[in-house]
Amino acid sequence: MEVIETKEALTQALQSCRDSRISIGFVPTMGALHPGHISLVEQCRKENSMVVVSIFVNPTQFNDQSDLANYPRTLEEDLYKLSSVGCNYAFAPSVKEMYPEEDTRKFDFGMLDKVMEGVHRPGHFNGVAQIVSRLFDAVQPDKAYFGEKDFQQLAIIRRMVAMMNYPVQIVGCSIVREADGLAMSSRNMRLTPEQRQNVPAIAHTLLACKEKIGCMSLDELKNWVVDRINNTPGLQTEYFDIVDRDSLQPASEYKENALQGCIAVHVGTVRLIDNIRL
Ligand code: PAF
């Protein structure tokens, strides 16, 4: 595996693949890699001849500066993990390399970013689109892999790709969970042992919610989920929404297989998200 720090070196390294039409798969990450990321890299490895993984903590997608400062950075360990799962190029640029000057682009995602994370993290998806478009320009992948834990992000990226006509196939990959159900996240490593014991309640509540579909109205179900989470020690719901899987707009009635329950929960200073198909 080669570690590359500049766009120019990456473009050069990948030029021969493009010339000989070797398929390039890409997994963008912010590092602090866990088995969820590794499963994306493994899927990418199976489906492409060349695997590129980026590690870049993107400042423009953090609306909270303390969240950016506290985001875990474990580059050495990340590179070690990537080298053992068949990554060909690890792209780990500096902030100056990705943003030589301020990115002032404003993306219009219609109603997709007017709900959930878009409301609670203003500017977040604009920052995600800024960096993902810059990474796509540098890598020019045939396929790019994103986890479904960030369900809204996946929809936003698909929209951005359509708007900007990128010739890349976006592959959504299932959430990878710990044995007790907790969705894997780089933020989990910031939980105290006590918080770690309590957070599986998030996934358990989402599963219970799925089973209760049809037994009560969607509004009652939403209240039931919020109460159950908030009654778990140390957990505070930021939002729980039941939305249409395509438009991401809040649903008013049950439609089979067309809805997604999406939640954000504060656990002390850590913020976790999860979702489930209903
Ligand atoms: O999902 C993430 O880790 C980030 O939002 C991404 C897609 C790597 C962009 O910084």
Side-chain angles (χ1 to χ4, degrees), residues 28-30 58 61 128 131-132 146 150 153:
T29 81
M30 296 206 297
N58 172 38
Q61 70 187 74
V128 169
I131 190 61
V132 173
F146 294 85
D150 295 292
Q153 170 173 279

Side-chain angles (χ1 to χ4, degrees), residues 88-128:
N88 300 102
Y89 295 109
F91 180 48
S94 65
V95 173
K96 194 92 196 121
E97 176 66 17
M98 289 319 289
Y99 296 106
E101 66 284 321
E102 195 189 348
D103 191 336
T104 53
R105 288 175 299 164
K106 294 270 178 272
F107 293 82
D108 181 0
F109 297 114
M111 294 305 285
L112 279 187
D113 65 346
K114 306 291 180 293
V115 292
M116 302 191 290
E117 296 295 288
V119 173
H120 293 276
R121 302 183 69 189
H124 167 67
F125 288 123
N126 202 64
V128 169

